[in-house]
């Protein structure tokens, strides 16, 4: 695709929390990152409200390992408590994704320039992203660098299939759906020869309403400020 990017993201630890484990104050990671967590990483590389990122494929490069740590999180009423968090260890992923224009942001139609956004996104990958990269949670720092998705040797390249069962796919926000409610999507994740191919958000059949929301407003002055910031960080914007 003309508007597709590929990059590698790695880190010493990752915590893509399974929401079922948070009830008692503990946290246990999924074995793989969710669609939504990868989308958050891509948006930390480059994002504007004009576009929506879609995660196409994830390639798991390192073996899936976990490590538990005793943590003393702060309680809501003050003080500390003791909990065990289970992290992924020594993670490395390759991500292939693309963007599409947000059809619900007609107020930003003047910013729908595919070449401009694609070129800035590629330069942002080269620079390691425009914001700090976190692997599921703030204490897990990640690092982004450009790569070729299919090159190199991955740990699961010869494994026909691993089924991860039902897990969270992502969240539907009003900005990207045009609806006033927030929804959580679930799907059945599986990896084939080291690659997870994500379905699109609208293809998820298990969807549950989780709250209310509204489309965020963006003024022309806000957008111009962001354009100028990206030009300073990554060079002049390409319009052709």
């Amino acid at each position: 695709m003309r508007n597709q990017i590929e990059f590698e993201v790695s880190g010493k630890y990752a915590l893509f929390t399974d929401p079922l484990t948070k009830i008692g104050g503990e946290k246990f990671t999924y074995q793989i990152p969710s669609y939504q967590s990868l989308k958050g990483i891509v948006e930390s590389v480059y994002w504007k409200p004009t576009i929506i990122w879609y995660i196409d494929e994830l390639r798991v490069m390192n073996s899936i390992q976990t490590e538990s740590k005793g943590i003393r999180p702060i309680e809501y009423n003050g003080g500390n408590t003791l909990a065990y968090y289970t992290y992924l260890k020594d993670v490395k992923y390759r991500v292939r994704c693309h963007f599409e224009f947000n059809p619900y942001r007609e107020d930003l139609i003047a910013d729908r320039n595919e070449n401009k956004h694609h070129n800035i996104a590629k330069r942002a990958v080269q620079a390691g992203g425009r914001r700090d990269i976190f692997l599921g949670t703030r204490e897990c720092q990640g690092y982004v660098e450009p790569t070729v998705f299919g090159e190199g040797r991955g740990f699961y390249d010869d494994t026909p299939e691993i089924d991860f069962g039902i897990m969270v796919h992502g969240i539907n926000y009003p900005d990207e759906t045009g609806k006033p409610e927030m929804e959580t999507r679930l799907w059945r994740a599986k990896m084939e020869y080291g690659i997870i191919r994500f379905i699109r958000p609208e293809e998820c059949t298990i969807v549950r309403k989780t709250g209310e929301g509204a489309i965020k407003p963006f003024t022309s002055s806000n957008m111009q400020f962001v354009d100028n910031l990206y030009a300073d960080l990554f060079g002049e914007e390409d319009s052709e």
Side-chain angles (χ1 to χ4, degrees):
M1 295 184 181
R2 292 178 55 195
N3 54 356
Q4 191 174 71
I5 61 172
E6 300 177 347
F7 62 88
E8 183 173 275
V9 58
S10 59
K12 188 174 181 181
Y13 291 101
L15 180 55
F16 306 110
T17 308
D18 183 342
L20 295 177
T21 67
K22 297 174 68 175
I23 298 173
E26 311 287 319
K27 291 184 180 181
F28 195 98
T29 184
Y30 279 130
Q31 292 177 283
I32 56 172
S34 66
Y35 179 100
Q36 192 70 34
S37 62
L38 292 172
K39 185 177 176 182
I41 291 171
V42 178
E43 289 177 347
S44 291
V45 173
Y46 172 70
W47 177 80
K48 287 181 73 177
T50 313
I51 64 176
I52 300 175
W53 283 105
Y54 291 89
I55 310 302
D56 300 316
E57 296 177 295
L58 171 72
R59 188 175 177 209
V60 181
M61 302 301 292
N62 290 352
S63 63
I64 299 172
Q65 307 174 69
T66 60
E67 180 178 318
S68 295
K69 297 183 179 183
I71 306 294
R72 294 184 62 83
I74 299 174
E75 294 186 308
Y76 289 113
N77 57 356
N80 295 86
T81 187
L82 179 63
Y84 279 96
Y85 291 1
T86 301
Y87 297 83
L88 288 171
K89 182 180 179 181
D90 188 25
V91 299
K92 182 185 291 185
Y93 307 108
R94 292 189 177 176
V95 181
R96 177 180 282 159
C97 57
H98 74 280
F99 69 82
E100 297 176 13
F101 292 124
N102 190 337
Y104 303 103
R105 300 308 308 236
E106 294 185 1
D107 53 329
L108 304 177
I109 194 169
D111 192 44
R112 293 181 182 178
N113 186 318
E114 181 179 340
N115 287 327
K116 179 186 78 170
H117 292 295
H118 191 208
N119 286 323
I120 296 176
K122 289 187 293 184
R123 286 197 290 266
V125 169
Q126 292 283 345
R130 66 182 180 89
R131 295 188 302 182
D132 289 340
I133 306 297
F134 301 114
L135 299 173
T137 185
R138 182 169 288 273
E139 70 260 30
C140 299
Q141 183 76 43
Y143 303 92
V144 164
E145 58 184 278
T147 191
V148 177
F149 186 84
E151 289 186 353
R153 182 72 179 165
F155 187 84
Y156 296 99
D157 287 358
D158 298 324
T159 304
E161 181 176 317
I162 298 178
D163 192 325
F164 298 105
I166 300 296
M167 62 181 290
V168 171
H169 184 275
I171 300 174
N172 290 334
Y173 291 102
D175 294 79
E176 299 181 357
T177 63
K179 298 188 294 186
E181 62 266 4
M182 294 173 59
E183 299 169 321
T184 299
R185 309 183 305 269
L186 304 177
W187 77 309
R188 190 177 189 95
K190 67 177 180 179
M191 177 169 63
E192 297 176 323
Y193 296 101
I195 296 177
I196 299 163
R197 295 175 175 87
F198 289 98
I199 61 176
R200 290 175 64 93
E202 62 269 23
E203 295 174 345
C204 293
T205 58
I206 309 174
V207 181
R208 297 291 182 268
K209 180 180 176 181
T210 53
E212 301 290 338
I215 296 177
K216 300 180 183 68
F218 288 91
T219 66
S220 58
S221 59
N222 293 147
M223 298 298 290
Q224 187 60 53
F225 172 80
V226 174
D227 282 341
N228 293 338
L229 176 62
Y230 287 146
D232 290 339
L233 290 174
F234 308 124
E236 293 299 321
E237 297 179 345
D238 294 316
S239 59
E240 298 182 0

